[in-house]
Amino acid sequence: MPRWGKRRDGPLPQPPRLAAKELLDGPILPTLLSLAWPNALAFSAGTLVAVAETSYIGRLGIEALAAMALVFPLVMLTISLSGAAMAGGVASAIARSLGAGHRERAENLVTHALLIAIFFGLVFMLGMLVGGRQLLEQLGGRGDVLAQATAYSRIYFGGAVLIWLVNVLAGVLRGTGNMKLPSLLIVNSAVIQIILGRTLGLGLGPVPQFGMPGVAMGSLIAATINIGAMCWYLFSGRGGIAPRLHGFRVQWALFADILKVGAVACLSPLQNALTNLVLAHLLAAFGTATLAAYGIGTRLEYVLATIAFSFGIGSVPIIGVAIGAGRIARARLVAWLTGLVAFTVIGAIAGAVALLPDPWISLFIRDTGAYAASRQFLRTVAPFYAFIALASAMYFSSQGAGNVVGPVLAQTARLVFIGLGGWYLLSQEATAESFFALTATSMILLGLLSCAAVAVTRWGPKTDAKR
């Protein structure tokens, strides 16, 4: 009988990953770091893709660069929703089931996770194919810029199911404690995407130049290759759990177990995107130099966030297994230690940039006015990126525990704080430096409220033990 057929729960095989027992009983800090470093490598590869794409898209012309700037937030939102949010819910549910010793339930969760990925992928595909051009036009797209952004989005979002599948499959593997395989595949995908995106976008030898649609196609081909690799790994039984197809039946309780974390977690990237839009709108009133300074700051925040995500995602399976096994004290200790590590590491890097901002600024601009505004922004705001890292750690730790409502509400509080604070400062005709201070204060608020949410939220399964 195939390895993904019906079978009784039994001892987990020992594939090349951390076994559930190691996640449950191993020393916390070494285990966390062993799970974090592959993610850091993978996220670094993602940053490299963004830089490389900007480079060769620039060779297509300024309109192509503007088109990519228009569609990129929608691409990143899709990746965040499917990867950091929904995939986190998948990893949490699987880790909790394995921690409770319910392997059969974990395998059924994998199948339900794949159905969720297909459903949301189709929703994104149909939504963007029907209304994508109108949305891009509302975001400011005009003329050739709108045409190129639409051409890219039709290819990319036409394959949205692939993007959702690849990220959810990675979440499945992370739920078992296997961080290395999905991370290595992301690195592999980055290399393929850079090569194919450049080749199909600009043309090479007998390959014609497809422009922006070619760049999008490179992303989808890379995702397809990764899907094939992860499906082979899981269906062959090498992952320790495999999707159950034989005798499969839909169990709404399993959908609920994933979505109670994944669907709520989706609100976090949505609110983060809205927060950035509000801040950009407020700072745009002070001119191009100030807006450019904010853009340089957000680039730094993005880079530092990827490091913080590495620790946060690494905590999900450790906490999930501990929750499933009823080891609540260990789960909370992992959460606080993850927060401390993320706060310390990001705080040290961001603090160094605040003290010596010029090397970072010089990567992007030479304009004197923008340079001065960027120095002021980074010296005011950068030290407090540590609180963003702390909030990220609490967000992912809560995913592992299966209750992410608190950190999401902390994001809501930050958004409201910025909205009300920004309105007040505008009424007082405040300076740009006051808005910088508002931004920094909102980061402190987010970090502290996220910690408070973890401290007061009850952790511990109520129904996880039931299959």
Side-chain angles (χ1 to χ4, degrees):
M1 181 175 290
R3 294 293 298 276
W4 55 88
K6 184 177 180 181
R7 59 189 177 202
R8 295 183 299 172
D9 286 1
L12 288 171
Q14 295 296 318
R17 60 172 176 80
L18 287 175
K21 180 174 176 55
E22 294 177 76
L23 292 173
L24 189 60
D25 297 320
I28 293 175
L29 186 57
T31 303
L32 177 65
L33 294 178
S34 72
L35 295 175
W37 75 259
N39 293 319
L41 179 64
F43 289 134
S44 298
T47 303
L48 180 61
V49 169
V51 173
E53 278 193 347
T54 302
S55 174
Y56 56 71
I57 288 174
R59 295 178 61 182
L60 293 172
I62 190 66
E63 292 83 3
L65 273 177
M68 193 65 205
L70 195 65
V71 77
F72 186 69
L74 300 175
V75 172
M76 288 306 301
L77 184 60
T78 304
I79 294 172
S80 297
L81 292 174
S82 60
M86 193 62 71
V90 170
S92 171
I94 290 173
R96 283 182 278 115
S97 290
L98 292 177
H102 297 151
R103 177 178 176 182
E104 181 178 340
R105 187 176 192 277
E107 292 184 329
N108 280 318
L109 280 166
V110 177
T111 312
H112 285 73
L114 295 179
L115 292 177
I116 288 173
I118 292 170
F119 172 78
F120 279 100
L122 289 174
V123 169
F124 270 69
M125 180 189 75
L126 294 175
M128 288 300 294
L129 289 180
V130 172
R133 181 179 176 86
Q134 291 79 2
L135 177 59
L136 293 167
E137 191 171 7
Q138 289 295 318
L139 291 174
R142 298 291 185 273
D144 190 45
V145 172
L146 176 61
Q148 293 204 46
T150 302
Y152 179 95
S153 68
R154 283 177 177 166
I155 297 297
Y156 185 87
F157 290 103
V161 171
L162 300 175
I163 304 302
W164 275 83
L165 276 174
V166 74
N167 285 324
V168 166
L169 282 167
V172 169
L173 291 173
R174 288 174 178 140
T176 69
N178 187 341
M179 299 289 172
K180 291 182 180 178
L181 179 61
S183 296
L184 289 174
L185 286 175
I186 289 175
V187 174
N188 174 66
S189 175
V191 175
I192 294 172
Q193 188 174 337
I194 291 172
I195 294 173
L196 289 182
R198 192 272 176 213
T199 301
L200 296 174
L202 299 180
L204 182 66
V207 180
Q209 177 176 307
F210 292 101
M212 292 293 284
V215 176
M217 186 58 67
S219 300
L220 297 183
I221 293 173
T224 302
I225 293 171
N226 277 3
I227 290 170
M230 285 188 281
C231 282
W232 169 81
Y233 187 81
L234 285 170
F235 279 95
S236 67
R238 287 171 172 80
I241 59 173
R244 282 188 174 252
L245 301 182
H246 180 78
F248 171 77
R249 61 185 179 86
V250 171
Q251 300 179 51
W252 297 107
L254 299 187
F255 282 132
D257 197 13
I258 295 171
L259 294 174
K260 74 177 184 181
V261 177
V264 176
C266 284
L267 295 174
S268 183
L270 287 170
Q271 290 184 125
N272 186 59
L274 183 56
T275 298
N276 288 332
L277 286 174
V278 170
L279 283 171
H281 176 72
L282 291 171
L283 293 172
F286 294 95
T288 303
T290 300
L291 189 59
Y294 176 67
I296 289 171
T298 56
R299 284 185 178 90
L300 176 62
E301 182 179 345
Y302 171 75
V303 172
L304 296 178
T306 60
I307 302 173
F309 283 4
S310 302
F311 297 114
I313 291 175
S315 74
V316 172
I318 310 176
I319 292 174
V321 168
I323 292 290
R327 301 270 295 274
I328 310 303
R330 176 179 170 86
R332 288 194 176 277
L333 181 57
V334 173
W336 297 125
L337 185 58
T338 302
L340 177 62
V341 171
F343 184 88
T344 302
V345 172
I346 301 306
I349 299 172
V353 174
L355 289 173
L356 299 170
D358 287 5
W360 176 257
I361 299 171
S362 63
L363 293 174
F364 304 100
I365 57 171
R366 293 290 185 271
D367 180 79
T368 305
Y371 220 100
S374 298
R375 280 198 193 101
Q376 183 64 43
F377 182 88
L378 290 176
R379 285 171 176 162
T380 303
V381 177
F384 301 99
Y385 286 141
F387 287 91
I388 295 290
L390 181 61
S392 175
M394 297 301 102
Y395 169 75
F396 283 108
S397 295
S398 297
Q399 282 189 347
N403 192 336
V404 78
V405 173
V408 169
L409 289 178
Q411 279 272 20
T412 305
R414 183 196 182 202
L415 177 58
V416 172
F417 176 79
I418 287 175
L420 293 177
W423 171 80
Y424 174 77
L425 291 177
L426 285 174
S427 69
Q428 299 298 309
E429 298 183 351
T431 63
E433 287 75 13
S434 297
F435 285 89
F436 295 168
L438 175 71
T439 304
T441 306
S442 75
M443 294 176 177
I444 299 173
L445 179 70
L446 176 61
L448 295 180
L449 287 180
S450 297
C451 288
V454 169
V456 303
T457 300
R458 180 186 181 274
W459 281 10
K462 293 181 180 179
T463 60
D464 283 355
K466 298 178 182 179
R467 290 182 225 176

